[in-house]
Amino acid sequence: MSRAKEIAKKNALRLRRKRRVRGNITGTSEKPRVTITKSNKYVSAQVIDDVAGNTLAAVSSKTLGLSVTKESASKAAAKLAEDLKAKNIDTVVFDRNGYLYHGVVAAFADALRENGIKL
């Protein structure tokens, strides 16, 4: 199998997981959804109220001047936790966006928990 086909298959599987997970979770104003997105260079996250259709907070490792590592994901999560606490939000629903729960995604979720946000 060529490299392009491997990448296409991997992405198709991620999108399938994304649809399956998003069918079961939704964010509200009391318990918004935190969705994470990662690329080869950066990791970013948004806090979304799906009922009202609003983005409540967002953070990116690019704006923080960091690359995509577990440490940068932890720092981005700490920044996002500060923003959430300023808006009196302490409980969220975690949407891993189809990514497997390990590496950067797990580090981000763990850092949110360590900074007082319940997932």
Side-chain angles (χ1 to χ4, degrees), residues 27-34 47-48 56 84-85 87-94 112 116-119:
T28 63
S29 59
E30 297 83 27
K31 193 173 183 180
R33 176 172 56 98
V34 174
V47 181
I48 303 166
L56 305 175
L84 290 176
K85 287 180 182 178
K87 294 183 180 194
N88 296 324
I89 299 172
D90 61 349
T91 305
V92 296
V93 177
F94 188 68
L112 279 177
I117 304 297
K118 297 174 191 163
L119 301 182

Side-chain angles (χ1 to χ4, degrees), residues 42-93:
Y42 305 110
V43 60
S44 63
Q46 290 183 331
V47 181
I48 303 166
D49 176 3
D50 289 318
V51 175
N54 293 333
T55 299
L56 305 175
V59 68
S60 172
S61 63
K62 184 176 183 177
T63 59
L64 298 175
L66 305 168
S67 62
V68 63
T69 61
K70 290 181 187 179
E71 293 80 23
S72 66
S74 297
K75 290 178 183 178
K79 172 74 171 118
L80 185 63
E82 289 176 17
D83 295 345
L84 290 176
K85 287 180 182 178
K87 294 183 180 194
N88 296 324
I89 299 172
D90 61 349
T91 305
V92 296
V93 177

Side-chain angles (χ1 to χ4, degrees), residues 5 7 23 25 28 34 40 42 65-66 76 82 86 97-98 100 110 112:
K5 286 184 180 180
I7 292 171
I25 61 173
T28 63
V34 174
N40 290 335
Y42 305 110
L66 305 168
E82 289 176 17
N97 207 12
L100 297 178
D110 292 340
L112 279 177

